Amino acid sequence: MHFLSEELDSYVANHSENEPELLAQLNKETHQKILQPRMLSGHFQGRVLSMLSKIIHPNTILEIGTYTGYATLCLAEGLAENGTIDTLDIEEELVDFQRKYFDKSPWANQIIQHLGDAIEIIPTLNKKYDLVFIDADKENYISYFHLIIPMMNKGGIILSDNVLWSGKVLEEIKPNDITTKILLEYNQLLKEDNRVETVLLPIRDGLTVSRVK
């Protein structure tokens, strides 16, 4: 679902910062070789993630859902000099693909890959985070939120992707559509939880910015 016309989408991208060459290569290879390339953040959203990270200038980033590493590299652009990114994914076949591009970047030694179930990995990380990007299985968004809230530094930012779910959040929920039901609950949680203040941006498929109080 396009929330803007394709012409406006193109205008927005063309009047935003250019896509770095390494990310353009990653974008192209993802579309050529990897299933479900729509999951990739892409040029415009990637530049939004980069800009937010540069504004925050985090020492610690947690990314839940690496996919091919496009968003990881965008977020890395704002890292503090000795900062680190912990990026989590459950797909073993993508690890080497991710690493190839991480190693081509200036942040190769700052990106730490974790393979496995995020619900199990997150409690073992033993860190406080300045920035978190949630972009994994939607059914666990609420669980991820409750796990990471105690691990956030005051003023830290939680970004949540796909919260408009192709506009399904406005449609009547089908009986077997668990994902949309959970995203509706998640969006309401972010609105009502007094530990965060939230704004939902209609960027691509919906990106929520929540600031920890």
Side-chain angles (χ1 to χ4, degrees):
M1 179 177 185
H2 288 279
F3 299 107
L4 297 176
S5 69
E6 289 190 24
E7 292 83 0
L8 272 176
D9 271 337
S10 295
Y11 184 87
V12 167
N14 289 336
H15 289 79
S16 298
E17 195 70 15
N18 292 335
E19 183 178 43
E21 178 58 30
L22 179 63
L23 290 175
Q25 294 172 15
L26 172 50
N27 194 337
K28 182 178 180 180
E29 189 172 359
T30 297
H31 278 80
Q32 290 174 336
K33 298 181 179 179
I34 307 297
L35 292 174
Q36 297 180 296
R38 186 176 178 272
M39 291 171 57
L40 184 133
S41 291
H43 171 201
F44 175 62
Q45 184 173 343
R47 292 304 86 205
V48 172
L49 295 175
S50 168
M51 183 67 76
L52 289 171
S53 185
K54 287 171 181 174
I55 291 168
I56 298 162
H57 198 47
N59 284 297
T60 49
I61 299 175
L62 171 62
E63 180 185 37
I64 306 172
T66 315
Y67 188 48
T68 56
Y70 190 100
T72 320
L73 291 171
C74 294
L75 294 167
E77 293 177 30
L79 266 177
E81 185 176 353
N82 295 312
T84 58
I85 300 182
D86 291 290
T87 185
L88 285 57
D89 205 282
I90 202 166
E91 300 294 342
E92 185 173 1
E93 64 270 21
L94 293 177
V95 170
D96 291 341
F97 186 100
Q98 298 158 5
R99 193 74 249 171
K100 178 174 73 171
Y101 281 93
F102 295 162
D103 285 346
K104 290 181 179 180
S105 80
W107 308 283
N109 296 326
Q110 296 168 271
I111 299 173
I112 305 163
Q113 292 166 283
H114 301 267
L115 177 65
D117 186 339
I119 296 289
E120 297 176 1
I121 294 171
I122 292 169
T124 71
L125 295 175
N126 196 28
K127 286 185 183 178
K128 287 282 191 177
Y129 288 97
D130 301 312
L131 177 60
V132 173
F133 182 42
I134 305 176
D135 188 20
D137 52 319
K138 315 311 166 193
E139 292 82 357
N140 275 315
Y141 267 33
I142 292 171
S143 297
Y144 295 146
F145 177 79
H146 288 304
L147 278 174
I148 64 177
I149 273 284
M151 302 170 68
M152 297 297 299
N153 285 318
K154 185 176 181 180
I157 299 294
I158 300 170
L159 305 174
S160 309
D161 200 15
N162 304 116
V163 293
L164 294 179
W165 206 229
S166 299
K168 291 181 182 179
V169 291
L170 294 180
E171 299 171 2
E172 183 176 348
I173 305 174
K174 296 176 181 178
N176 61 343
D177 187 356
I178 302 302
T179 303
T180 302
K181 180 177 182 292
I182 289 174
L183 281 173
L184 285 167
E185 293 176 6
Y186 181 69
N187 291 341
Q188 197 63 34
L189 170 64
L190 294 184
K191 168 69 175 176
E192 295 178 351
D193 195 303
N194 61 15
R195 294 172 293 181
V196 295
E197 51 186 328
T198 291
V199 60
L200 198 165
L201 305 177
I203 291 172
R204 202 161 173 254
D205 196 23
L207 179 70
T208 300
V209 181
S210 302
R211 179 182 177 274
V212 178
K213 296 179 182 178

